[in-house]
């Protein structure tokens, strides 16, 4: 299982971007999906996560403090895609962004990267004036 992130680009501080996470061959709705980022010289970090349809709290979302209130996840099951809407972007949001699936509600709710696998190619987001 591998996912493909897209939608990155160069934006100015304060602007918005929407990233997409797509898959083929399986239904994203069935899985926990996490968004991650890795800035130059730093470790990959979980920034958000959404629960899958197998969980009673389907579509509950979790966000790291660094993006809470600015980033929002959503699903379009007809397109088999998960989105990350990023508003009020800051230079410190500059990173390569990835998405990955998990079967663990606990790893999602605690934003624990160890519960995720199937990293695909990421998409670069650069926030600069």
């Amino acid at each position: 299982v591998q996912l493909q992130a897209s939608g990155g680009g160069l934006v100015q501080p304060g602007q918005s971007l929407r990233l997409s996470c797509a898959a083929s061959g399986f239904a994203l709705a069935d899985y926990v999906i996490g968004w991650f980022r890795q800035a130059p010289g730093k470790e990959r970090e979980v920034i958000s996560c959404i629960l899958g349809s197998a969980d009673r709290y389907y579509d509950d979302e979790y966000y790291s403090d660094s993006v809470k209130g600015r980033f929002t996840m959503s699903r379009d099951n007809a397109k088999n895609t998960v989105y990350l809407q990023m508003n009020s972007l800051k230079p410190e949001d500059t990173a390569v962004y990835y998405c990955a699936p998990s079967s663990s509600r606990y790893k999602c709710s605690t934003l624990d990267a160890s519960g995720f696998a199937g990293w695909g190619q990421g998409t670069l987001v650069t926030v600069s004036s």
Side-chain angles (χ1 to χ4, degrees), residues 81-127:
T81 301
V82 173
Y83 300 102
L84 181 68
Q85 178 67 41
M86 306 188 297
N87 298 330
S88 303
L89 283 161
K90 305 174 182 180
E92 51 263 44
D93 294 319
T94 295
V96 178
Y97 285 71
Y98 304 83
C99 56
S102 175
S103 59
S104 173
R105 174 190 174 193
Y106 178 74
K107 297 290 187 179
C108 176
S109 64
T110 57
L111 298 177
D112 184 346
S114 69
F116 294 81
W119 310 98
Q121 185 174 349
T123 186
L124 177 62
V125 173
T126 303
V127 185

Side-chain angles (χ1 to χ4, degrees), residues 5-129:
S6 63
L10 172 63
V11 296
Q12 295 183 341
Q15 291 187 329
S16 299
L17 270 178
R18 189 178 75 164
L19 304 184
S20 299
C21 175
S24 59
F26 68 96
L28 283 182
D30 295 341
Y31 288 84
V32 169
I33 302 296
W35 279 102
F36 304 75
R37 66 186 181 188
Q38 187 166 20
K42 295 187 177 181
E43 293 187 356
R44 182 153 36 190
E45 62 169 335
V46 188
I47 57 171
S48 66
C49 186
I50 189 168
L51 296 182
S53 61
D55 195 288
R56 63 182 293 187
Y57 299 106
Y58 174 57
D59 272 359
D60 271 11
E61 301 159 35
Y62 302 88
Y63 297 92
S64 67
D65 289 343
S66 61
V67 306
K68 194 175 297 182
R70 299 188 298 123
F71 291 11
T72 304
M73 290 187 71
S74 62
R75 293 183 184 271
D76 185 335
N77 293 335
K79 295 182 178 180
N80 204 25
T81 301
V82 173
Y83 300 102
L84 181 68
Q85 178 67 41
M86 306 188 297
N87 298 330
S88 303
L89 283 161
K90 305 174 182 180
E92 51 263 44
D93 294 319
T94 295
V96 178
Y97 285 71
Y98 304 83
C99 56
S102 175
S103 59
S104 173
R105 174 190 174 193
Y106 178 74
K107 297 290 187 179
C108 176
S109 64
T110 57
L111 298 177
D112 184 346
S114 69
F116 294 81
W119 310 98
Q121 185 174 349
T123 186
L124 177 62
V125 173
T126 303
V127 185
S128 175
S129 55

